[in-house]
Amino acid sequence: MSSFQEFQARHDLSMEALCARILERHAATIRVKKPAVAIGNLARIVETTLTLANRKGFHSMSLRDLTEQSGLSMGALYAYFDSKDTLLMMILGQVVGVVEVVLGRPPEALAADPAGRLRWLLETHLYLTEAMHPWFVFAYMEAKAFPKEGRELAVSSEMMTESMIADALADGVARGLFAVPDVTMAAALIKPMLQDWYVKRAKHRRRGVTPDLYAEQMIAFVEAAVGSRRVQAAGR
């Protein structure tokens, strides 16, 4: 297993880097053409939005709240998006896009190693949500109030990650490494353990649980639950 520090060294998930990707994705509609200015202002907009959403809820947040807290004028905001729904989709789209890029490319060495791939998926997912904690909390807490397009995007992203886990489990079952009667159900049961880390992060912090410790304990629990031969061998 790698560590959260090693994960951070491999992936630049700073606010500036993430907003640079938002600019790339929405370059056709964002009216500010100087990249440095656009990225800086997007960082202010997104960071303020995530803070306000966490404090009072995204749909209770007004654009006036956003102007007051970000220091940008209403006209400046409209140079980046035309409505709150567009802003929401910018943020949600970035979360989904990063999940696809980071989790969708497991190391080639794990192609024939479902146990290793399962560990990598769980560990990487957890470290990703730690690195982008405010983004994932936003996506989770605001999901019920998303417009139809946002709900569909959030659901498809969740199903994608569950299918990655289920595929690793199915491969392990086929190779005689796991004993799982229903890999789809097992993946659906594993996903809430991943979400618990970022949704109830304060609880884990009070207990002194680090991302590395949570990853280690969660993976050990999952491996025991799926009857991993690696765990059985270690217990002999």
Side-chain angles (χ1 to χ4, degrees), residues 74-180:
M74 195 71 74
L77 294 184
Y78 281 119
Y80 295 91
F81 55 87
D82 58 5
S83 68
K84 277 180 62 180
D85 281 352
T86 299
L87 173 59
L88 183 151
M89 292 304 297
M90 281 181 167
I91 296 172
L92 181 60
Q94 185 56 40
V95 174
V96 173
V98 172
V99 169
E100 291 176 350
V101 169
V102 175
L103 289 182
R105 300 174 182 173
E108 292 183 8
L110 299 179
D113 179 8
R117 193 161 72 253
L118 178 63
R119 291 193 298 273
W120 180 87
L121 282 167
L122 300 182
E123 176 185 89
T124 302
H125 189 293
L126 187 133
Y127 291 159
L128 176 58
T129 61
E130 174 64 14
M132 293 179 62
H133 181 254
W135 300 72
F136 277 87
V137 170
F138 174 86
Y140 183 90
M141 299 302 292
E142 300 294 334
K144 290 183 180 179
F146 284 168
K148 183 174 183 292
E149 181 185 5
R151 289 196 304 273
E152 291 176 349
L153 183 61
V155 169
S156 67
S157 180
E158 182 165 353
M159 295 302 294
M160 177 188 68
T161 56
E162 284 189 19
S163 70
M164 291 177 183
I165 295 169
D167 288 347
L169 292 172
D171 192 9
V173 170
R175 295 172 187 268
L177 299 174
F178 301 150
V180 183

Side-chain angles (χ1 to χ4, degrees), residues 190-235:
I190 290 169
K191 187 63 187 291
M193 285 190 283
L194 292 165
Q195 293 170 325
D196 194 74
W197 172 251
Y198 61 88
V199 174
K200 300 179 181 177
R201 189 185 190 207
K203 173 186 72 175
H204 298 301
R205 279 189 166 181
R206 286 195 299 270
R207 293 174 176 173
V209 180
T210 64
D212 295 326
L213 179 59
Y214 191 92
E216 177 187 344
Q217 295 296 315
M218 177 189 61
I219 290 170
F221 183 88
V222 169
E223 287 183 330
V226 301
S228 172
R229 285 193 172 184
R230 174 175 173 270
V231 174
Q232 293 169 4

Side-chain angles (χ1 to χ4, degrees), residues 64-83:
R64 188 168 299 280
D65 293 330
L66 188 54
T67 62
E68 291 174 356
Q69 295 298 314
S70 69
L72 296 170
S73 68
M74 195 71 74
L77 294 184
Y78 281 119
Y80 295 91
F81 55 87
D82 58 5
S83 68

